Amino acid sequence: MTETARTTLLGVPLSAFVASLAVFSAPCAARAATCESLATLALPDTTIVLAKLEPAGVELHLPGPQLGSLRAFCRVAGEIKPTKDSNIKFEVWMPASGWNHKFMGIGNGGWSGEIWYIDMSDALQRGYATASTDTGHEGSAGDASFALDHPEKVIDFGYRAFHETTVKAKAILSAYYGDAPKHSYWNGCSTGGKQGLTEAQRFPRDYDGTIAGAPANFWTHLMVSGIWIGQATHENPVSYLPKEKYAVLHKAVLEACDALDGVRDGVLESPKKCHFDPKVLQCKDANRPDCLTASQVDAARKIYAGPKNPRTGEQIFPGLEPGSENGWNFFARGTEAPIVASHFKYLVFRDPKWDYRTLNFDSDVALADKLDNGVITATDSNLKPFFAEGGKLLLYHGWNDPAIAPENTINYYKSVVAAMGGSNKVQNSMRLFMVPGMNHCGGGDGPFDFDSIAVLEQWVEQGKAPDRIVATHFPPGAHAAKPDRTRPLCRYPQVAKYEGSGSTDDASNFVCTNE
């Protein structure tokens, strides 16, 4: 047996596999006498700091959005320290009654720095036992200062924290319920989507099904993309695009391309068909609110084009799509772009004073890739071990995403198809749904609300692979209002086409078809 074969199994470190196996092979012992008794549960490298039964209706005041009233549940909080420089905080919530015999891992956003309680609460209300982690550090989702001279914390963020949390959470719920979960699902978007792909690539036995929305999986090049957008709008004082001009651009895009899909509804079904040139908005004389200066036109063109290597011409990361203009403030704001500049300050150049305007899109990109070496980036297209275990991967991405270019997800999907030997080989294991008009992970002009969890459950548990998902649009700022539009999301590369009669706000009047 080779050294590699001795230390790995299906690409998983053998030690991690043995730890996971112990959870599933443990006898179904009697349920713990009380939730509080879990405080004495002994787990490797782990300290339980809280084990408490929370009563029904409890209103917990935790970081993030207000959770509202919750069902009764056993709340366990702990710390995992697999290295001397690790301190991975996590929580596990388990329904006190009515457990659906399933587990859900919850993804994070940005650089994380906190447990994502809001998504845990949703999983809990569905009957899931659920867990989330702060990814090994505390801080702002836009700040990577924790990483400076702490390589183990970078590994914790990159993959170790959420895998360790998964293993420990399964052990905790097995101790509490006296049984292992029948199914385990991952649910995440953005960084959480990247985490889901990391799990599938590195630890194919952790989850039966993965929801990966707008995955930030090509991490280093995504960081470059944000810097590119920031530089494009700050190249000189007259290239800056104020927010008021986003609306001017967006209106012009819709006027040029909205009808290309056969329906004028303020949403581009297929933005790739829109060949909009912002030069049509160039001011003929002085700068005015309803036009763009020549420098602003150039900045907008760069945002649509995406970063390229100035020496080789190679595309580093895709550009943002027509229709996304109203969200460009994410990286094109008047100050330093969040998340992305922090990566180069603390992980690449190790200099908190580094200026994002100095990034070299050739040598500095290569340096970032070399230093990361796949610790955070998750572009491995070999999902054969995950698929061989019966794993299902549900990918989705909003076409109007202003933070992560949608084509990045399409590129990853295509890379897996190629690695697996063609689309027919992956359709039972992986499906991609592009969401017209949706912003980053939700919201937007198009229907953006859909139950990805129910879709994945039907796929894993009933073998019903999704071809069409009905999404709903709600008016802005009216969470309890009635929806004003439904539309089918179609399995890529299909798109929704209006049949020619009936309301264009009703999904039943659309069919999924190849373009």
Side-chain angles (χ1 to χ4, degrees):
M1 183 180 288
T2 65
E3 181 63 23
T4 300
R6 284 197 299 269
T7 57
T8 66
L9 183 63
L10 292 176
V12 184
L14 191 57
S15 58
F17 172 73
V18 171
S20 300
L21 185 61
V23 173
F24 290 105
S25 61
C28 292
R31 177 169 173 163
T34 64
C35 173
E36 286 74 11
S37 69
L38 294 173
T40 61
L41 184 65
L43 297 171
D45 305 318
T46 304
T47 302
I48 304 297
V49 299
L50 173 71
K52 179 184 179 184
L53 183 64
E54 301 285 4
V58 66
E59 292 189 9
L60 300 176
H61 299 286
L62 299 168
Q66 181 61 38
L67 303 182
S69 180
L70 299 172
R71 66 192 297 165
F73 68 101
C74 175
R75 180 185 177 193
V76 177
E79 297 175 356
I80 311 170
K81 298 181 178 180
T83 75
K84 291 182 179 179
D85 197 31
S86 295
N87 187 11
I88 301 165
K89 295 183 178 180
F90 71 98
E91 290 205 18
V92 183
W93 292 5
M94 300 170 287
S97 62
W99 179 42
N100 64 8
H101 296 276
K102 292 181 277 192
F103 168 69
M104 181 167 288
I106 298 299
N108 306 84
W111 290 104
S112 190
E114 65 181 32
I115 292 168
W116 279 51
Y117 294 107
I118 186 64
D119 291 333
M120 287 182 71
S121 69
D122 178 65
L124 179 74
Q125 296 300 80
R126 290 173 179 260
Y128 278 87
T130 182
S132 180
T133 173
D134 67 356
T135 68
H137 67 277
E138 294 180 312
S140 164
D143 179 22
S145 59
F146 71 91
L148 184 61
D149 297 326
H150 290 282
E152 294 296 343
K153 290 188 182 298
V154 174
I155 293 173
D156 288 337
F157 173 79
Y159 60 86
R160 188 162 53 203
F162 43 94
H163 169 63
E164 286 286 336
T165 295
T166 297
V167 173
K168 302 306 190 291
K170 289 182 180 181
I172 290 169
L173 67 92
S174 292
Y176 182 58
Y177 292 119
D179 199 2
K182 292 181 179 178
H183 296 288
S184 297
Y185 299 121
W186 178 268
N187 185 17
C189 190
S190 195
T191 292
K194 179 204 79 72
Q195 292 168 332
L197 294 183
T198 298
E199 278 285 334
Q201 294 165 14
R202 286 180 175 267
F203 311 105
R205 294 192 173 194
D206 275 3
Y207 291 95
D208 305 311
T210 294
I211 300 168
N217 64 307
F218 205 168
W219 186 269
T220 51
H221 288 209
L222 170 61
M223 300 299 105
V224 173
S225 170
I227 298 293
W228 173 271
I229 294 170
Q231 282 195 18
T233 56
H234 293 81
E235 193 169 4
N236 56 63
V238 291
S239 66
Y240 177 65
L241 275 167
K243 290 181 68 175
E244 306 78 59
K245 299 218 173 173
Y246 302 161
V248 174
L249 273 161
H250 187 66
K251 180 182 177 182
V253 166
L254 293 180
E255 288 176 350
C257 300
D258 189 8
L260 293 178
D261 55 19
V263 179
R264 282 197 173 274
D265 56 359
V267 175
L268 307 185
E269 181 70 29
S270 303
K272 288 296 179 186
K273 285 186 172 182
C274 181
H275 304 294
F276 172 76
D277 186 348
K279 188 174 176 62
V280 300
L281 293 172
Q282 187 166 324
C283 302
K284 293 180 172 55
D285 38 52
N287 185 11
R288 302 191 313 274
D290 61 346
C291 63
L292 273 62
T293 66
S295 293
Q296 289 171 339
V297 168
D298 184 55
R301 281 175 167 173
K302 288 181 177 178
I303 292 173
Y304 289 129
K308 293 184 179 180
N309 184 306
R311 178 176 58 84
T312 66
E314 178 185 4
Q315 189 81 40
I316 299 170
F317 200 77
L320 301 184
E321 298 294 336
S324 66
E325 299 79 18
N326 286 332
W328 283 3
N329 197 49
F330 198 94
F331 287 134
R333 62 187 66 186
T335 57
E336 179 183 85
I339 302 176
V340 296
S342 209
H343 179 89
F344 286 94
K345 282 184 176 182
Y346 300 109
L347 280 82
V348 179
F349 298 113
R350 299 168 61 198
D351 177 8
K353 296 181 180 180
W354 177 79
D355 187 344
Y356 76 98
R357 289 167 292 191
T358 66
L359 183 75
N360 182 295
F361 290 93
D362 181 7
S363 58
D364 290 348
V365 178
L367 178 61
D369 287 339
K370 179 181 178 180
L371 292 174
D372 179 70
N373 195 30
V375 170
I376 303 177
T377 294
T379 54
D380 187 355
S381 59
N382 180 20
L383 295 185
K384 291 180 181 179
F386 179 63
F387 294 161
E389 293 292 331
K392 310 298 184 187
L393 174 58
L394 179 63
L395 293 160
Y396 70 86
H397 205 136
W399 274 119
N400 280 15
D401 195 329
I404 302 176
E407 192 175 357
N408 174 67
T409 300
I410 294 175
N411 289 344
Y412 180 70
Y413 172 86
K414 289 181 176 179
S415 75
V416 177
V417 169
M420 292 295 293
S423 58
N424 292 336
K425 299 289 184 69
V426 303
Q427 289 308 306
N428 192 45
S429 303
M430 175 181 68
R431 300 214 169 176
L432 166 63
F433 292 83
M434 301 303 293
V435 189
M438 188 172 83
N439 298 336
H440 185 57
C441 294
D445 298 327
F448 55 81
D449 187 82
F450 54 98
D451 194 343
S452 57
I453 296 174
V455 171
L456 187 61
E457 288 174 330
Q458 290 181 5
W459 193 3
V460 171
E461 299 166 31
Q462 303 174 32
K464 297 180 180 178
D467 285 319
R468 169 185 171 118
I469 302 172
V470 175
T472 302
H473 181 268
F474 290 87
H479 299 294
K482 293 182 179 179
D484 56 7
R485 177 180 296 167
T486 59
R487 188 69 57 83
L489 309 179
C490 302
R491 171 171 58 92
Y492 182 85
Q494 293 187 330
V495 298
K497 183 178 181 180
Y498 180 53
E499 292 190 288
S501 62
S503 172
T504 56
D505 291 329
D506 187 340
S508 64
N509 298 319
F510 288 78
V511 294
C512 290
T513 182
N514 291 313
E515 291 191 271

